[in-house]
Amino acid sequence: MMSQNPNFKHPTLQLLEKCQTLHAIKQVHAHMLTTGLALHTYPLSRLLLFSSAVSIAYALSIFNQIPNPTIFLFNTLISSLVTNGGHNTYSVCSLYNRVLSHQTLKPNSFTFPSLFKAFGSDPWFQHGRALHTHVLKFLGSTHDHFVQASLLNFYAKCGRVGVSRYLFDQIREPDLASWNSILAAYAHSTSTECISSASNGCDSSLSLEALYLFKDMQRSSVRPNEVSIVALVSACANLGALIQGTWAHSYALRNNLKLNRFVGTALMDMYSRCGCLDLAHQLFDQLNERDALCYNAIIGGFAINGYGHRALCLYEKMKIEGIVPDDVTFVVTMCACSHAGLVEEGCKVFESMEEVYGIKPKLEHYGCLVDLLGRAGRLKEAEERIQTMPMKPNAILWRSLLGAASVHGNLEMGEVALKNLIQLEPESSGNYVLLSNMYASIDRWDDVNRVRKLMKDHGVNKMPGSSLVEIGVPCMSS
DNA sequence: CTAGGGTTAG
């Protein structure tokens, strides 16, 4: 057998690790077939792992030629699909079903973590719940940290932070990744559980709990690392808690944690959301590794805080540094142009998306474009963009146009926008109010009454009050 | 015996 000596690596497998292309993988595969290496589980698992990085289809075709795959090979393929495949959840399901329907195969503790990772988004929630019962069936009350952490993350990603907490409390001696999982769960906190009247999906009390959990972690035997800091800082950013965020920053420095791009991005986001653009920018300069996300954070920070020109400078710097912008880069950069009134620049950025970078504009990019043109009073162009865009415009776009029409006193455009808005959300009174206010502002009271009648005709009969719900931010002592 | 969980932006 080939794995008697743990340091032994078959030369063919060494070669396999260097393969960058499908062509090279195929050559090694052919060699493995002729030498009989492809009859053994471990070499096959390496082959699956490396080929899935290049071509999922090829990995699947290799797998389908294996006469009696072991659970080990199923696990290898499932995890490769989850990490390399992106949206292969259907293939992942069918592979897992093959395991279940097999007479002798049984899922083990290595099978579940990748599956929970694959099911960690809303459309797959019910699949993940079913899988949870499989954990109980096949593993009983397991104390496997990997299985427990993957379950915890699954429930958190589907908005069930309470379940995550329950599962975390079941873990006897949480390790670093378990702590980081629960910290991240609270820091990102989009809970669907406790629906309070003021809840809009981002509950600040959950972020606050992340701060308390960090304290608990410090009292435990596990030392926080960079990942822990990222969660802590994100929680502070959500709370707008500058003092605690700054403390987290200094904690990282005191404990010799690295200012990697993850920590850097989280800190920049925190500082800019707290209005400390100078600190965010200082940090940006200190980072010695920067990717598109670092740039997005600082460009977005400048954009939101009204420094459109500085944001654009950084966008240029990014291009000079040779960092390829992603779709978020275009959102934040166009937002910057919009706020600074740099219409031509913003349009150019939009056009360059597809022409230069081959990124198809999404709905939100059209949203930025309409906002950009609308603010500048170029309403006709904005409308044309909405009418000719390749996907169905949503209410946000029409509302943006309605708002712009209102600001620029363009009644015809306002009515066009409203007509479309009413079709998309006929029950929302806010849309009518916008138009009605527009007429009122120029003393066209007949039209105000006409809009009111329109509301009545659509069964919307309440003008909303203007009560803002104050969300009580709890007092923190540090 | 080999494999599996945690981090960044709007």
Side-chain angles (χ1 to χ4, degrees):
Chain A
M1 287 266 63
M2 50 207 41
S3 49
Q4 302 284 342
N5 174 0
N7 293 320
F8 174 77
K9 218 179 227 170
H10 195 284
T12 308
L13 297 185
Q14 288 181 32
L15 191 61
L16 181 63
E17 290 176 18
K18 296 195 183 81
C19 289
Q20 304 280 342
T21 63
L22 184 56
H23 181 70
I25 296 263
K26 281 181 176 174
Q27 285 184 316
V28 174
H29 185 196
H31 188 247
M32 286 173 69
L33 286 168
T34 55
T35 56
L37 204 59
L39 295 170
H40 301 277
T41 291
Y42 183 63
L44 270 174
S45 84
R46 303 301 287 176
L47 182 63
L48 285 176
L49 184 70
F50 285 98
S51 56
S52 69
V54 177
S55 160
I56 295 289
Y58 192 67
L60 284 169
S61 79
I62 295 171
F63 186 82
N64 288 328
Q65 287 163 36
I66 303 172
N68 282 310
T70 58
I71 187 64
F72 179 92
L73 285 172
F74 271 100
N75 291 347
T76 303
L77 185 64
I78 290 173
S79 89
S80 322
L81 284 182
V82 174
T83 52
N84 296 313
H87 302 289
N88 271 295
T89 312
Y90 286 104
S91 325
V92 166
C93 279
S94 79
L95 279 168
Y96 180 63
N97 282 330
R98 269 177 71 182
V99 173
L100 290 182
S101 55
H102 197 276
Q103 272 112 5
T104 49
L105 288 178
K106 262 192 194 165
N108 62 19
S109 60
F110 287 82
T111 317
F112 293 108
S114 332
L115 288 170
F116 281 119
K117 203 175 177 184
F119 292 150
S121 63
D122 241 341
W124 296 99
F125 180 57
Q126 294 307 336
H127 290 257
R129 288 185 117 170
L131 196 67
H132 191 170
T133 69
H134 292 189
V135 171
L136 300 173
K137 178 179 167 189
F138 290 107
L139 306 180
S141 54
T142 178
H143 292 292
D144 186 297
H145 277 168
F146 288 79
V147 174
Q148 288 179 304
S150 65
L151 257 169
L152 190 167
N153 285 309
F154 160 73
Y155 280 105
K157 286 208 180 104
C158 294
R160 272 68 173 182
V161 184
V163 181
S164 297
R165 181 53 179 268
Y166 172 79
L167 292 167
F168 177 75
D169 291 338
Q170 308 281 100
I171 303 175
R172 281 291 143 246
E173 301 244 310
D175 62 6
L176 182 57
S178 309
W179 275 109
N180 288 342
S181 298
I182 195 66
L183 283 173
Y186 277 95
H188 295 130
S189 72
T190 44
S191 178
T192 56
E193 283 160 345
C194 41
I195 318 270
S196 75
S197 59
S199 167
N200 53 2
C202 187
D203 191 340
S204 57
S205 67
L206 293 177
S207 292
L208 185 59
E209 185 59 20
L211 306 199
Y212 286 119
L213 274 164
F214 188 82
K215 280 188 174 178
D216 294 341
M217 184 184 186
Q218 282 184 283
R219 281 192 286 268
S220 80
S221 58
V222 180
R223 297 272 58 86
N225 71 348
E226 286 81 1
V227 182
S228 329
I229 296 300
V230 169
L232 180 63
V233 172
S234 315
C236 294
N238 290 337
L239 292 165
L242 178 61
I243 291 173
Q244 288 77 0
T246 310
W247 182 86
H249 187 178
S250 80
Y251 178 94
L253 297 176
R254 283 199 308 277
N255 290 278
N256 294 318
L257 298 180
K258 273 177 68 182
L259 268 182
N260 62 24
R261 60 186 202 278
F262 298 97
V263 177
T265 306
L267 280 170
M268 284 191 290
D269 180 50
M270 185 274 296
Y271 281 128
S272 55
R273 281 212 248 168
C274 293
C276 303
L277 266 296
D278 290 337
L279 288 175
H281 198 198
Q282 254 179 45
L283 233 143
F284 178 82
D285 286 334
Q286 281 171 29
L287 294 183
N288 36 28
E289 45 165 6
R290 295 182 198 130
D291 60 5
L293 281 85
C294 299
Y295 269 97
N296 294 347
I298 192 73
I299 294 173
F302 278 129
I304 298 296
N305 286 278
Y307 301 97
H309 288 280
R310 297 182 71 181
L312 261 188
C313 284
L314 282 157
Y315 173 66
E316 295 303 328
K317 183 179 159 77
M318 176 180 188
K319 290 196 284 188
I320 292 163
E321 262 191 50
I323 291 162
V324 182
D326 65 8
D327 58 331
V328 179
T329 312
F330 294 106
V331 172
V332 291
T333 306
M334 287 178 69
C335 173
C337 293
S338 189
H339 284 272
L342 301 163
V343 191
E344 289 309 324
E345 286 83 348
C347 290
K348 262 195 228 154
V349 170
F350 180 85
E351 301 304 339
S352 74
M353 264 187 89
E354 196 154 13
E355 284 168 14
V356 183
Y357 300 100
I359 300 175
K360 276 225 178 324
K362 294 187 193 166
L363 194 61
E364 61 253 48
H365 299 108
Y366 284 95
C368 294
L369 187 64
V370 169
D371 187 54
L372 186 75
L373 294 167
R375 272 171 201 259
R378 288 157 67 167
L379 298 169
K380 193 70 208 151
E381 278 172 79
E383 192 217 345
E384 275 166 20
R385 285 295 195 164
I386 298 179
Q387 300 286 12
T388 58
M389 56 190 260
M391 66 285 271
K392 190 179 173 349
N394 64 1
I396 297 171
L397 285 181
W398 288 116
R399 200 170 4 258
S400 166
L401 185 67
L402 179 57
S406 163
V407 167
H408 290 93
N410 186 328
L411 288 172
E412 297 107 285
M413 200 57 82
E415 290 190 355
V416 170
L418 183 72
K419 231 172 161 180
N420 285 283
L421 254 181
I422 290 172
Q423 279 182 10
L424 288 172
E425 32 183 58
E427 71 296 333
S428 163
S429 58
N431 300 325
Y432 302 88
V433 176
L434 266 171
L435 188 70
S436 147
N437 288 348
M438 210 163 114
Y439 287 124
S441 71
I442 53 168
D443 288 332
R444 278 174 55 172
W445 300 102
D446 294 351
D447 289 312
V448 172
N449 286 328
R450 199 165 52 80
V451 174
R452 282 176 190 252
K453 185 174 176 302
L454 204 61
M455 287 175 74
K456 231 177 169 175
D457 294 346
H458 283 89
V460 185
N461 37 26
K462 262 193 193 151
M463 291 295 251
S466 56
S467 71
L468 288 174
V469 182
E470 281 288 328
I471 300 170
V473 177
C475 219
M476 291 270 300
S477 59
S478 51

